[in-house]
């Protein structure tokens, strides 16, 4: 199995939660949401189950038991292995120390903003600002309501994501206003 297949933010989240104690995937999924890890880790459909399968194939987690509660389907409980602990620690170290080069679509759009009329570009930046403000407000309300019982260190990733939203809101305000005021003029012949 390629090392890259298990070196993802989602697999790190799984390993970290299993490091606390053995869990079944449904409990992991619930904790990812409760702790707002899903604000910074992409988790869709069966991706959690795929991640656990990859981790098991790589020997980083192992099934320890199956449990059934009432009429619910049987749930496999997984535990982290010693190798999984080592990989989790290595991933955290790598993720914290080294800036990664991401290729977000927004930055690609900024690289080609001159393909639009200035007024259109400013309007689209204002639309983005409104969407980010709504997301910021939604997450702030959830954090206030859902995490009062959690130590702040457990939700640092959500706190960081909120700080980035605040910074982006200020940046979008400055750039959109600069375009609208003509302080960021388009070169002649563009658009």
């Amino acid at each position: 199995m390629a090392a890259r297949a298990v070196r993802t933010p989602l697999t790190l989240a799984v390993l970290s939660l299993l490091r606390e104690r053995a869990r079944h995937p449904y409990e992991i999924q619930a904790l990812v949401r409760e702790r707002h890890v899903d604000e910074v880790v992409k988790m869709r459909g069966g991706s959690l189950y795929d991640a656990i399968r990859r981790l098991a194939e790589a020997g980083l987690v192992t099934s320890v038991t199956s449990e059934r509660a009432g009429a619910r389907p049987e749930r496999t409980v997984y535990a982290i292995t010693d190798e999984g602990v080592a990989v989790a620690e290595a991933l955290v170290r790598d993720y914290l120390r080294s800036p990664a080069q991401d290729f977000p679509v927004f930055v690609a759009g900024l690289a080609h903003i001159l393909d639009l009329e200035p007024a259109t570009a400013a309007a689209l930046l204002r639309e983005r600002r409104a969407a980010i403000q709504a997301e910021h407000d939604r997450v702030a309300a959830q954090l206030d309501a859902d995490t009062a019982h959690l130590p702040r260190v457990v939700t640092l990733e959500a706190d960081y994501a909120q700080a980035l939203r605040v910074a982006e809101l200020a940046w979008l305000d400055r750039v959109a206003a600069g375009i609208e005021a003509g302080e960021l003029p388009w070169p002649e012949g563009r658009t």
Side-chain angles (χ1 to χ4, degrees), residues 63-74:
S63 63
V64 291
T65 188
S66 292
E67 32 180 73
R68 181 184 300 274
R72 292 186 177 148
E74 189 171 31

Side-chain angles (χ1 to χ4, degrees), residues 90-122:
L91 283 173
V92 172
R93 290 174 192 273
D94 289 347
Y95 286 4
L96 289 178
R97 94 165 51 98
S98 305
Q101 181 61 28
D102 295 325
F103 299 98
V105 296
F106 177 61
V107 177
L110 288 174
H112 303 284
I113 197 168
L114 293 175
D115 292 343
L116 302 173
E117 293 290 331
T120 301

Side-chain angles (χ1 to χ4, degrees), residues 49-76:
Y49 292 92
D50 290 340
I52 291 171
R53 179 189 47 77
R54 285 191 309 272
L55 291 169
E57 289 172 359
L60 304 180
V61 302
T62 187
S63 63
V64 291
T65 188
S66 292
E67 32 180 73
R68 181 184 300 274
R72 292 186 177 148
E74 189 171 31
R75 294 180 174 164
T76 302

